[in-house]
Amino acid sequence: MARKSKRDWLIETLTLLPEVGAQNLTIDVLTERLGVTKGSFYHHFGSFAAFKEALLTFFETEGTLQIIDLTEQAATPQAKLKRLLDITASFPTAVEVAVRAWALQDEMVRAYQARIDARRIAYLHELFRELTGDEAEAFQRAQLLYVIYIGSQQVIPPIQGEDLIRHYAELTHGLVAEG
């Protein structure tokens, strides 16, 4: 059996979650998928509750904080917004949808999802405030853009790529750097 790092466990779980659903996410399913023993699971996480918290923290870091950090590398608010829109239009939706569905059934996941949503909207609000100079307009645009992002994942089939970029463009017309 190959050794797996804590990160390996978390990455594989986020791949597995949309396939099996949160209700079927068990230690047995995870160890079978990774080809490791339960001892490996307990070595890394100690308990399923600790694992769940580590997974949600990992999801928040990879799916929000690192994206904000990448976005912040752009030089201007216009370039930041464009970078953010490009990243989110190409981001896989299955994990986002699976975590959001899980949040409907689990209070801890719901608390994480609420914090992630709030952080994402706050970041958008800050960007739009820099772009428009108007507090109320900035907040409205932030909420609308986030609703487009989440809603695009919930329809079947999801709206992604260039189709999502076109929807973003309607809301951000004149605010995003060209090119």
Side-chain angles (χ1 to χ4, degrees):
M1 285 187 192
R3 300 189 91 195
K4 301 293 181 186
S5 69
K6 188 174 187 177
R7 183 172 174 79
D8 292 334
W9 279 91
L10 299 172
I11 289 170
E12 189 59 36
T13 302
L14 288 181
T15 301
L16 184 62
L17 181 62
E19 294 173 21
V20 302
Q23 70 280 5
N24 296 315
L25 196 61
T26 64
I27 296 170
D28 288 333
V29 168
L30 290 168
T31 56
E32 183 178 322
R33 175 75 170 244
L34 286 164
V36 296
T37 65
K38 286 184 182 181
S40 174
F41 176 89
Y42 288 107
H43 167 75
H44 287 296
F45 303 104
S47 68
F48 193 79
F51 164 74
K52 187 167 72 169
E53 188 157 1
L55 179 66
L56 294 168
T57 299
F58 181 74
F59 173 71
E60 180 176 22
T61 300
E62 299 279 320
T64 300
L65 302 178
Q66 286 186 0
I67 291 171
I68 290 171
D69 288 345
L70 282 171
T71 301
E72 281 297 303
Q73 292 172 13
T76 66
Q78 294 83 1
K80 288 176 186 179
L81 184 56
K82 180 167 183 0
R83 178 176 280 179
L84 180 62
L85 299 180
D86 289 344
I87 290 169
T88 61
S90 65
F91 210 72
T93 62
V95 174
E96 287 272 341
V97 171
V99 171
R100 198 165 289 282
W102 191 9
L104 295 173
Q105 305 163 4
D106 185 294
E107 194 172 315
M108 176 193 228
V109 181
R110 187 171 28 262
Y112 268 84
Q113 187 66 67
R115 186 172 72 212
I116 289 166
D117 288 345
R119 180 168 278 153
R120 289 173 175 177
I121 291 169
Y123 182 70
L124 286 168
H125 183 201
E126 179 182 318
L127 271 179
F128 280 119
R129 186 175 35 241
E130 289 181 59
L131 290 163
T132 67
D134 182 295
E135 186 70 27
E137 180 182 351
F139 188 69
Q140 183 178 22
R141 284 182 186 254
Q143 285 187 318
L144 285 170
L145 186 63
Y146 197 62
V147 167
I148 290 169
Y149 174 66
I150 298 303
S152 70
Q153 299 168 1
Q154 299 298 315
V155 295
I156 299 175
I159 299 169
Q160 298 174 294
E162 289 302 315
D163 291 335
L164 184 54
I165 290 287
R166 280 192 289 279
H167 291 298
Y168 286 161
E170 287 296 316
L171 181 65
T172 62
H173 182 75
L175 297 176
V176 176
E178 297 297 321

